[in-house]
Amino acid sequence: MGDGSRSEQQGETRRRVLAAARAEFLALGFRGATVDGIAERAGSTRGAVYSGFPGKRALYFEVLAGDAEAAGLREPVEEEIGPGAATDPVGALTEFARAWVGRQPLAMDDPGAAARLGREVVSEVVVDEYARQAYAGLMALDALLLGLALERMEPSRTFRGRRVRVAEHALTLLRGAETLAAAAPGFGEPLDLVPACGALAGAAPEEPWNPPHLPYVGKARPVDEVWTPPKAVDAVRGMPADLAADGVVAVLGMRHLGAVEEAVRGLPDGIVTVVPVCAEPREFGPLARLVVAEAATCLRAAFPPYALPRLRVVHDREGAIAAAVGLGGAGDGTQAAVQVRGGRIVARADGYGACHAAATAAR
């Protein structure tokens, strides 16, 4: 059998296993589902399931990530701004909350409804310290994306602050209500959160930006290296990302994802790309895709195209971007960033403050 045929067969097996896993999770929930049951539904073997996925939780995250990304494709970035589009931060955050609540299951939904598929994500994260740290970093990234979008809705002549804290408060409300809905279905009215979130944008004072503690931040190393990045997709917009464009590319372990704000603030007019990495990419890579896709879908539904942040998120499933950046290996502690200009890497930094150092290197 040729490599092409083998690859096609592996791809078909993967599709069957994912479809079977989705059916098993819908029918029995995460805890009731078993790898043996998934294998039986797929007409495959337990060994075949484990050859493609490290375990049941990885399958669960992969199924949810696929659903979230598919939903995002139904919210493309439109060139034209519709007549009902938000024109201010209060309206935009209100519409973001409406989109978020709209994808949640209702108390009267059938227990097997597709909307209930993700109700056990948080409970699976809570029981694992590694998962909690990764999830915290991913939530920091979501808050940064939402906060940056809100900032772009502010009147530029009068606003010089930051809106990431407001975004954190809104996501705390929305994620908290989501968790409570799973634990106590029927309690409260989710739609009441929509105006409450919008009010946060209108009441919050401007937040200052505090850069990293500079005495402990090393300088970026000036270099002159060829930059040949692979093709990539920006998960925020659901569109191809031109990694050859001038800007900063940061490869960060999931627990350090919030550090990419240093590059955004240090390079106010450039494009910043963050690449989340971890030590267990087959299991927690799908979790990263899930968390980012959920926020990105609501961003695209609520904000006009011009307000989407300059920050791009690219998932590096094969490690090709990390390799192009020059990392021999990337994991939980990775903090590395390069500045790209004119199709070449002109500055390189790593460790604490790497994003700040790469963004502020002499240009």
Side-chain angles (χ1 to χ4, degrees), residues 14-280:
R14 181 182 176 84
R15 284 188 289 272
R16 287 203 319 272
V17 168
L18 285 173
R22 190 176 193 278
E24 180 89 351
F25 293 135
L26 274 174
L28 303 174
F30 177 78
R31 280 176 174 71
T34 64
V35 172
D36 286 335
I38 292 169
E40 183 177 349
R41 287 178 187 267
S44 189
T45 65
R46 180 184 178 91
V49 173
Y50 278 117
S51 70
F53 302 91
K56 185 175 74 168
R57 186 171 64 177
L59 265 168
Y60 186 50
F61 290 159
E62 183 66 47
V63 166
L64 293 172
D67 279 7
E69 289 168 337
L73 293 176
R74 296 193 290 272
E75 294 289 352
V77 177
E78 302 289 351
E79 293 298 328
E80 299 297 329
I81 301 174
T87 57
D88 62 86
V90 173
L93 191 50
T94 299
E95 290 306 311
F96 180 91
R98 194 186 313 280
W100 190 284
V101 170
R103 64 181 180 78
Q104 301 305 314
L106 299 175
M108 68 284 294
D109 284 345
D110 182 270
R116 292 185 176 273
L117 190 61
R119 65 187 181 272
E120 294 174 90
V121 169
V122 173
S123 62
E124 278 309 298
V125 167
V126 166
V127 299
D128 185 318
E129 176 62 25
Y130 184 97
R132 287 200 299 272
Q133 291 189 14
Y135 195 68
L138 290 165
M139 287 304 302
L141 179 58
D142 273 4
L144 179 57
L145 291 168
L146 177 55
L148 292 173
L150 288 169
E151 290 170 24
R152 290 173 73 85
M153 296 292 286
E154 296 279 1
S156 59
R157 293 180 181 178
T158 59
F159 182 78
R160 294 292 184 272
R162 178 177 180 264
R163 282 288 179 254
V164 179
R165 186 69 58 82
V166 170
E168 289 174 351
H169 293 165
L171 288 172
T172 297
L173 277 177
L174 295 169
R175 285 287 187 191
E178 189 177 298
T179 302
L180 188 58
F187 176 79
E189 173 49 66
L191 288 174
D192 289 345
L193 293 177
V194 173
C197 285
L200 289 173
E206 292 188 13
E207 311 158 23
W209 159 245
N210 297 314
H213 197 45
L214 295 180
Y216 298 98
V217 175
K219 293 185 178 297
R221 303 183 298 280
V223 296
D224 182 18
E225 301 171 4
V226 175
W227 172 237
T228 54
K231 292 182 180 179
V233 173
D234 174 17
V236 177
R237 291 166 178 76
M239 299 169 60
D242 179 14
L243 297 185
D246 290 2
V248 168
V249 177
V251 180
L252 298 174
M254 288 187 194
R255 71 183 68 174
H256 299 298
L257 287 172
V260 76
E261 186 173 0
E262 301 166 13
V264 175
R265 306 299 179 189
L267 194 70
D269 298 320
I271 297 173
V272 176
T273 302
V274 61
V275 182
V277 295
C278 65
E280 300 181 46

Side-chain angles (χ1 to χ4, degrees), residues 297-318:
T297 298
C298 296
L299 282 172
R300 296 202 291 268
F303 287 83
Y306 70 81
L308 292 179
R310 292 179 294 104
L311 176 59
R312 305 184 297 193
V313 181
V314 172
H315 300 296
D316 190 20
R317 300 195 199 192
E318 305 299 327

